[in-house]
Amino acid sequence: MKTMDELVESARKTGRKRVAVAAAQEAAALEACVDAWMAGLAEPVLVGIPSLIDETAGSLGLDISRFEKVAAKDPVSASMEAVRLVRCGDADMLMKGLVDTATLLHAVFDKNAGIRSGALASHVAVMESPSYHKLLFVTDAAINIAPDLKTKVEIVNNAVRAAKALGVEAPKVALLAAVEKIDGERMPCTVDAAAITQMQRRGQIKGCLIDGPLALDNAISAENARIKKIDSPVSGEVDILVAPDIEAGNILYKCLLGLGGAKGAGIVMGASSPIVLTSRADKARTMLASIAFAVLACR
Amino acid sequence: MKTMDELVESARKTGRKRVAVAAAQEAAALEACVDAWMAGLAEPVLVGIPSLIDETAGSLGLDISRFEKVAAKDPVSASMEAVRLVRCGDADMLMKGLVDTATLLHAVFDKNAGIRSGALASHVAVMESPSYHKLLFVTDAAINIAPDLKTKVEIVNNAVRAAKALGVEAPKVALLAAVEKIDGERMPCTVDAAAITQMQRRGQIKGCLIDGPLALDNAISAENARIKKIDSPVSGEVDILVAPDIEAGNILYKCLLGLGGAKGAGIVMGASSPIVLTSRADKARTMLASIAFAVLACR
């Protein structure tokens, strides 16, 4: 799979997934639902305030008459109800509507009523860059702020799971930094990168090939690595770029999308079902691709 | 000035600058010197081991017969001699040869024999992105690792100085983060960004318009900011992107160059003369543009 069009086509082939939308009275979420229905990807279940959902859809000229609705009066109860639908098998995945990401994730990771899988929540983006020969996964652009070593391992595991769901058999993972040398005194993220690289070699992280620390230029280009005399098994063939923190991850993701001419999609991994985070600022094609990504990432 | 070609042309018009190359016995530096000579930008002064300089040039088929040479036996003494040439007015700017950046900067910032200006050293890149309507400055991708508030102010000042040297009268500066809200507990860089924004309003930073924290998408697009209801005077017209730390800065710079189809150039600001850091992995056009950038940034 090398393009976002292939991603959407591949998701379409798996058949529609039922998508529980938490607080569905929001333009971006409803537009995404209609697009995903039309594309044969999703069967939305709109959880929220029915009158507001109808009003929002009406003002946008969206036909949502065929979608199931479930009443929930506020964002918290809508989140809990959407999560319940997934837990009892009435829905396959979640989508965020007019609710804070934190509120939705709180319901997702609730000890009793949630849909935890034992893993941590992390954001995984998949990008089609005109300057790279295959899909690139980028993590974590949105959830984990300053991950410690243990959290980074979970971030890697979630991204590997997502990449495998898209058919990448043994993803190559680069742990990004500004340099390739380990500098424990001045650049602690290089130590984490070295530790995670070695954890993979020791079998503590499976199903992927990890190397780091690597600067971005040497992760994406074997030629750059050769010139700089960096011997890395992932250089030039990297599938997953792991940022050291949320600022670097967010800037990388947004640079690719906003200045790099890339197409992108993003989901939250770590629960028993993937979660689509819609945003008013996302383009329609981004949201559709994100739903397709989630469809493929459903277990 | 909107393109790197205009940058080079503009530098050419100022006339050749004398460039002292520290430890010039290096392929990348010598190639850059010959290119810069041919382009009418520079008159190189090659400081280093004359026999090795000739040997390196010979192996590459470079004609360096017209360039002045100054003997210096090791990287430390070559750095000191190159700096001395600038201090006594025999050269206008510095270029790194076969010497660590740290060694060269040590000579530059030596209390007695250096060419300090009272400012801190920081890296300033200028980029021509096919997805943006004017040149974008990116800082700091290479020198300051985890800058504190005071250091960030110096990073901003150096970038503003560089932008002005390229004709940007009152540069618009975005202090990048992953979000726009200030979160002192979890995202300290948002507090620094807010403080620096307010420092500019209080007149503590002059000659520019600053706003932050801003995520990259809202810095580069007024439309994105409008949708997200972020009222920022720099959105969509930003000239200078200031990263919160070296990882974010390095990844942004390398994403633009390596995946974003951008052309770039970079120099070190903060001494009394700009410094060009050549790298074997840089393309010839990047090095030529970096020399042009430094030519314009000479005081």
Side-chain angles (χ1 to χ4, degrees), chain B residues 17-18 20 80 82-95 104-122 154 158 161-162 165 267-276 293-299:
Chain B
K17 290 281 191 295
R18 281 173 66 88
M80 289 172 66
V83 167
R84 196 192 62 77
L85 290 170
V86 173
R87 200 177 64 246
C88 68
D90 282 348
D92 302 297
M93 52 187 261
L94 283 173
M95 189 191 297
L104 179 57
L105 289 183
H106 196 264
V108 167
F109 286 89
D110 184 271
K111 277 193 184 173
N112 302 311
I115 48 170
R116 308 204 299 174
S117 72
L120 185 99
S122 65
E154 301 228 41
N158 280 347
R161 229 171 267 135
I267 58 174
V268 176
M269 294 285 293
S272 70
S273 103
I275 306 163
V276 177
F293 186 11
V295 163
L296 292 173
C298 282
R299 288 173 184 201

Side-chain angles (χ1 to χ4, degrees), chain A:
Chain A
M1 208 179 294
K2 290 182 181 179
T3 68
M4 299 307 273
D5 287 346
E6 283 174 55
L7 172 76
V8 172
E9 188 50 36
S10 177
R12 196 196 314 265
K13 282 184 188 153
T14 72
R16 294 180 194 278
K17 290 284 192 291
R18 282 174 65 87
V19 182
V21 186
Q25 55 273 14
E26 192 205 37
L30 288 175
E31 281 171 339
C33 284
V34 171
D35 283 354
W37 167 269
M38 307 263 280
L41 294 177
E43 190 181 315
V45 183
L46 307 176
V47 183
I49 302 167
S51 61
L52 277 182
I53 293 173
D54 287 336
E55 197 179 297
T56 308
S59 72
L60 296 164
L62 296 173
D63 176 12
I64 58 163
S65 57
R66 63 168 72 79
F67 301 160
E68 193 178 327
K69 281 181 215 125
V70 177
K73 63 183 191 314
D74 56 49
V76 171
S77 53
S79 298
M80 290 171 65
E81 178 59 21
V83 167
R84 196 193 61 78
L85 290 170
V86 173
R87 200 176 64 246
C88 69
D90 282 348
D92 302 297
M93 52 186 261
L94 283 173
M95 188 191 297
K96 179 175 104 91
L98 197 62
V99 51
D100 288 341
T101 301
T103 303
L104 179 57
L105 290 183
H106 196 263
V108 167
F109 286 89
D110 185 272
K111 278 194 182 171
N112 302 311
I115 48 170
R116 308 203 298 174
S117 72
L120 184 98
S122 64
H123 187 266
V124 183
V126 60
M127 323 288 298
E128 176 192 334
S129 162
S131 305
Y132 199 64
H133 61 288
K134 57 182 171 177
L135 292 177
L136 259 178
F137 295 82
V138 171
T139 190
D140 179 335
I143 306 253
N144 294 284
I145 295 173
D148 59 12
L149 179 63
K150 195 179 160 199
T151 305
K152 284 178 184 170
V153 171
E154 300 229 41
I155 286 171
V156 168
N157 281 332
N158 280 345
V160 168
R161 228 171 268 134
K164 289 193 171 188
L166 268 58
V168 186
E169 281 194 22
K172 293 188 169 67
V173 181
L175 304 165
L176 295 180
V179 296
E180 282 77 25
K181 296 230 167 87
I182 285 80
D183 181 343
E185 202 177 325
R186 302 192 307 158
M187 298 186 184
C189 74
T190 61
V191 176
D192 284 355
I196 294 169
T197 299
Q198 195 65 354
M199 285 171 82
Q200 184 259 308
R201 287 197 191 147
R202 289 286 185 267
Q204 293 170 271
I205 302 171
K206 294 185 199 301
C208 59
L209 178 63
I210 302 183
D211 197 36
L214 282 172
L216 180 59
D217 51 344
N218 298 316
I220 57 172
S221 161
E223 171 69 4
N224 281 342
R226 191 189 58 73
I227 293 170
K228 290 265 195 75
K229 295 183 178 153
I230 294 151
D231 178 24
S232 168
V234 316
S235 279
E237 284 299 331
V238 65
D239 297 292
I240 300 173
L241 299 171
V242 180
D245 60 25
I246 198 171
E247 282 85 20
N250 195 270
I251 287 170
L252 175 57
Y253 175 60
K254 288 176 174 169
C255 182
L256 283 164
L257 274 186
L259 293 170
K263 298 175 192 172
I267 59 174
V268 176
M269 293 286 292
S272 71
S273 102
I275 306 163
V276 177
L277 303 178
T278 54
S279 158
R280 277 165 298 165
D282 277 345
K283 292 184 182 154
R285 71 174 187 196
T286 297
M287 286 198 274
L288 189 69
S290 296
I291 293 169
F293 185 11
V295 163
L296 292 173
C298 280
R299 287 172 182 201

